[in-house]
Amino acid sequence: MSAIVSVAEARRSRVRLFIVTMLFLVTTVNYADRATLSIAAPALSKELGLDPIAMGYVLSAFGWSYVIAQVPGGWLLDRFGSRWVYAVSILTWSLFTMLQGWIGFVTGGVAVATLFGLRFLVGFAEAPSFPANARIVAAWFPSNERGTASAFFNSGQYFATVIFAPLMGWIAHEFGWRHVFTVMGALGLVMGAIWIKTMYGPKEHPAINEAELDYIRQGGALVDLDGAQETKAASSGPGWSHIRQLLSNRMMLGVYIGQYCINTLTYFFLTWFPIYLVQERGLTILKAGFVATLPALCGFIGGVLGGFISDAILRKTGSLTLARKIPIVGGMLLSMAIIGCNYVDGQALVVGLMAVAFFGKGIGALGWAVVSDTSPKEAGGVSGGLFNTFGNLSSITTPIVIGYILAATGSFNGALVFVGLNALVAAISYLVIVGRIERVQLRTS
């Protein structure tokens, strides 16, 4: 029997590995573009005269539109499919990122308003990205590989800092903050062109063979998620009934709360962390870009490891609930190490505690695997959009709350406690509210 299995595996193509690699690369560029403002912020805020509260609101601009557009973005994915909606998303957000480099040609309130507006448009354009990632993983991967695949593409958010924070710090130091935006925007346009040339659904991909298609289909992959064009044309997409049912599902509400709290850590790292290193710890912007890579690298390692751990537990126990909850809860408790930065002075200890916190956050960042596991087939995009709506409310609240804490106390101590307590609430949400993790079955009208 083992010989027969080995022969079947040898005949099977591995196109799904290329697909998840593309998701990883696009997510890396996605998060690098989100982080451009935080790298440019120390020089930009000084040039434009922004205080911490004003900087907090500018840093939150991305989040307002990103949240507003989540459900519409998910609807577009369910209506028109992942490939082309995602392609337009990549090209559009890259263009708006590039345009931020022109802010320096205006001054005063006009510059602030223009910067806020462009960041708002970047958030609007990026809205379909993660729901699309979840749909693509659900379509391409069997259940027992989904945790690893989701963790791998999600780890792109940390890899973005590992690769691009030093690069953007060097660009800002050598050429000025404006070029951070133009270089990253241009890179995104290149990535969008590559996406269009290489991405297809399982049934349409020219390189997949029948053995791999049968394997992923029999393992629970939703290979018909983006069906034939005529089928899509006959459908108007998911309706309000689907949204109401998802919002009234206790499991999903627990997942939404957990993701909001987990993303609080993400958006501290993407917005205020480089500023924390410069203002609180006395680093130059160039050195801060390099120092930020260690916590990011640990987050990346934790993210990949969390997926492997989750899928290993699933294979051993057969319990999806245990497989997802154990890494999430354990990772979030480990992330509370960020509070320890308030009680040490040495830069090495601060960076070490941040590294531990983001390693834990990486292990626990399995929310998108849970979305792929639980989303109903007929509303996968909308389900991902709702999940990302709740999760990314923290992209609005985190920069603003920390801005007010800084203005009131003149210190980041309260901000780190705020971030650490969110990690605790995420763990409690998965332990107490979520219950059994399983695919949602929607009632038909």
Side-chain angles (χ1 to χ4, degrees):
M1 176 65 72
S2 61
I4 295 173
V5 172
S6 298
V7 171
E9 289 180 351
R11 291 203 318 263
R12 194 186 299 148
S13 58
R14 297 287 187 271
V15 178
R16 65 192 185 284
L17 302 183
F18 170 79
I19 295 297
V20 77
T21 300
M22 280 297 298
L23 295 182
F24 169 78
L25 292 174
V26 171
T27 300
T28 299
V29 173
N30 182 313
Y31 269 84
D33 286 349
R34 296 187 196 193
T36 49
L37 183 57
S38 66
I39 295 294
L44 180 151
S45 60
K46 184 176 181 180
E47 184 172 318
L48 299 182
L50 300 180
D51 62 21
I53 293 176
M55 197 68 231
Y57 276 100
V58 170
L59 288 167
S60 78
F62 170 93
W64 291 97
S65 56
Y66 191 68
V67 167
I68 291 168
Q70 282 302 306
V71 173
W75 183 90
L76 287 171
L77 290 164
D78 289 329
R79 179 71 173 83
F80 298 107
S82 302
R83 183 189 179 208
W84 284 105
V85 173
Y86 210 158
V88 172
S89 174
I90 296 167
L91 295 172
T92 306
W93 93 54
S94 300
L95 178 62
F96 289 136
T97 296
M98 184 181 288
L99 289 174
Q100 290 171 72
W102 295 85
I103 294 296
F105 292 99
V106 291
T107 58
V110 174
V112 176
T114 305
L115 179 60
F116 186 96
L118 287 172
R119 292 295 293 180
F120 188 93
L121 292 171
V122 170
F124 195 84
E126 285 195 14
S129 56
F130 270 72
N133 287 350
R135 290 180 93 253
I136 292 167
V137 166
W140 272 97
F141 285 85
S143 297
N144 65 349
E145 296 180 4
R146 217 170 273 157
T148 301
S150 298
F152 182 56
F153 82 67
N154 197 49
S155 66
Q157 63 182 280
Y158 312 105
F159 195 68
T161 302
V162 173
I163 296 298
F164 290 112
L167 174 63
M168 290 189 288
W170 175 76
I171 291 171
H173 183 264
E174 293 294 327
F175 304 103
W177 60 264
R178 296 168 185 81
H179 294 287
V180 171
F181 297 108
T182 54
V183 171
M184 295 309 302
L187 179 63
L189 293 175
V190 173
M191 181 57 68
I194 295 172
W195 176 275
I196 293 169
K197 295 289 288 184
T198 59
M199 288 296 293
Y200 299 90
K203 286 187 164 184
E204 295 80 35
H205 203 288
I208 194 172
N209 64 16
E210 200 64 34
E212 183 177 17
L213 188 60
D214 288 342
Y215 169 72
I216 65 174
R217 182 192 287 118
Q218 291 166 12
L222 306 180
V223 296
D224 297 310
L225 196 56
D226 287 341
Q229 189 64 39
E230 59 269 18
T231 303
K232 284 186 272 182
S235 169
S236 60
W240 287 108
S241 172
H242 298 149
I243 296 173
R244 284 195 298 271
Q245 290 179 60
L246 288 167
L247 288 175
S248 63
N249 185 289
R250 173 176 170 169
M251 175 189 69
M252 296 308 297
L253 286 175
V255 170
Y256 297 155
I257 293 169
Q259 189 66 9
Y260 169 84
C261 295
I262 292 170
N263 271 356
T264 296
L265 281 84
T266 300
Y267 282 101
F268 167 73
F269 196 70
L270 286 175
T271 57
W272 283 107
F273 182 57
I275 303 170
Y276 166 77
L277 293 176
V278 173
Q279 294 184 358
E280 191 90 350
R281 296 296 172 176
L283 277 65
T284 66
I285 187 60
L286 180 62
K287 190 174 181 181
F290 281 94
V291 167
T293 62
L294 180 60
L297 183 60
C298 289
F300 170 72
I301 294 169
V304 176
L305 184 61
F308 280 115
I309 292 171
S310 181
D311 284 347
I313 294 172
L314 179 58
R315 286 190 292 269
K316 189 173 182 64
T317 67
S319 170
L320 192 62
T321 302
L322 287 176
R324 302 305 187 228
K325 283 190 177 184
I326 289 173
I328 291 172
V329 173
M332 288 302 101
L333 294 177
L334 193 59
S335 289
M336 294 183 69
I338 197 170
I339 298 174
C341 293
N342 290 337
Y343 303 100
V344 297
D345 292 323
Q347 290 182 2
L349 287 173
V350 170
V351 174
L353 286 169
M354 286 288 182
V356 170
F358 284 99
F359 177 76
K361 196 266 180 184
I363 287 178
L366 288 170
W368 284 105
V370 175
V371 170
S372 294
D373 293 327
T374 58
S375 294
K377 179 178 178 179
E378 62 271 42
V382 164
S383 177
L386 282 172
F387 170 81
N388 225 19
T389 296
F390 283 89
N392 282 281
L393 285 171
S394 57
S395 68
I396 299 171
T397 58
T398 302
I400 294 174
V401 168
I402 292 177
Y404 276 105
I405 291 173
L406 285 176
T409 66
S411 166
F412 273 89
N413 289 358
L416 298 187
V417 172
F418 167 74
V419 174
L421 289 178
N422 271 272
L424 177 62
V425 173
I428 293 171
S429 181
Y430 269 91
L431 282 173
V432 177
I433 303 175
V434 171
R436 183 181 178 187
I437 295 176
E438 58 188 352
R439 192 168 299 281
V440 175
Q441 300 295 324
L442 296 180
R443 302 181 304 275
T444 55
S445 299

